[in-house]
Amino acid sequence: FLELISMYTYQFQKAQQVAEINGWTKFVAMQNHYNLVYREEEREMNPYTKETGVALVPYSPLAAGRLAREWDTDSERMKTDEVAKMKYDSTEETDRKIIEEVGRIAKKHDATRAQIAVAWLWEKGVVAPIVGVTKEKYLDDFVAALDVKLDQEDMQALEKHYIPHSLMGPR
């Protein structure tokens, strides 16, 4: 299966056009950076992939664990992951509000925060989020997210605090 990773939408369109002109197989999946605290793909890439039937397979669906726990929770990754700090720490003030909503919605649904973050992706049309499974319970969360049904009120609450972020990922 042919998949491309994060890029600008115009680059992806060009790649699809080159494949079509040459009679090659077009790309069927886009591996992009997409989660509740980084939604820049909603501007162009997600609508384009939906319109053209390309599957969304985002990486970092839990924002390097930030969506899976309270913001102030200490973890080894929170201390050492410099790439995640670069991606997410500059928007801490608004991202915190989103993470608080994830916690509130998780309580409402008797679910984990990770389940809510992944259920949100399912509602947004994601085909297969790429989750880091380092413990069996993380795999259980991922599978259980399929049973979480977010309503329109939940979706609005999860999305209302988002502000645009600097682009990260496209090359």
Side-chain angles (χ1 to χ4, degrees), residues 115-151:
Q115 289 168 358
I116 297 303
V118 174
W120 177 83
L121 288 168
W122 296 135
E123 289 293 325
K124 299 301 274 188
V126 165
V127 172
I130 300 169
V131 292
V133 179
T134 56
K135 297 178 183 169
E136 187 176 337
K137 68 180 184 175
Y138 299 158
L139 182 58
D140 293 340
D141 270 349
F142 178 67
V143 172
L146 290 166
D147 295 326
V148 175
K149 301 300 178 221
L150 301 174
D151 60 27

Side-chain angles (χ1 to χ4, degrees), residues 77-114:
R77 185 171 191 181
M78 293 288 274
K79 293 182 214 170
T80 61
D81 189 337
E82 295 302 320
V83 173
K85 288 179 185 180
M86 178 195 70
K87 285 181 181 179
Y88 303 113
D89 285 0
S90 66
T91 53
E92 177 179 346
E93 188 177 320
T94 55
D95 292 353
R96 243 182 221 265
K97 293 175 185 173
I98 296 166
I99 290 166
E100 287 169 6
E101 287 294 337
V102 170
R104 189 182 68 72
I105 303 291
K107 284 180 186 167
K108 173 184 169 185
H109 288 274
D110 193 28
T112 67
R113 290 167 179 262

Side-chain angles (χ1 to χ4, degrees), residues 4-19:
L4 283 178
I5 60 169
S6 286
M7 61 181 54
Y8 293 105
T9 305
Y10 82 90
Q11 292 170 316
F12 187 50
Q13 289 172 319
K14 284 171 59 175
Q16 294 291 62
Q17 184 180 26
V18 167

Side-chain angles (χ1 to χ4, degrees), residues 28-100:
V28 298
M30 168 51 68
Q31 183 179 326
N32 54 352
H33 180 199
Y34 185 50
N35 58 54
L36 269 164
V37 296
Y38 185 83
R39 296 174 37 208
E40 297 310 300
E41 298 294 308
E42 291 177 352
R43 294 172 191 239
E44 293 182 9
M45 187 61 78
N46 291 5
Y48 176 75
T49 58
K50 183 177 183 178
E51 184 178 311
T52 59
V54 174
L56 290 177
V57 185
Y59 63 88
S60 199
L62 300 179
R66 282 159 173 75
L67 290 164
R69 64 181 70 86
E70 291 183 31
W71 190 276
D72 294 328
T73 302
D74 220 7
S75 74
E76 191 61 29
R77 185 171 191 181
M78 293 288 274
K79 293 182 214 170
T80 61
D81 189 337
E82 295 302 320
V83 173
K85 288 179 185 180
M86 178 195 70
K87 285 181 181 179
Y88 303 113
D89 285 0
S90 66
T91 53
E92 177 179 346
E93 188 177 320
T94 55
D95 292 353
R96 243 182 221 265
K97 293 175 185 173
I98 296 166
I99 290 166
E100 287 169 6

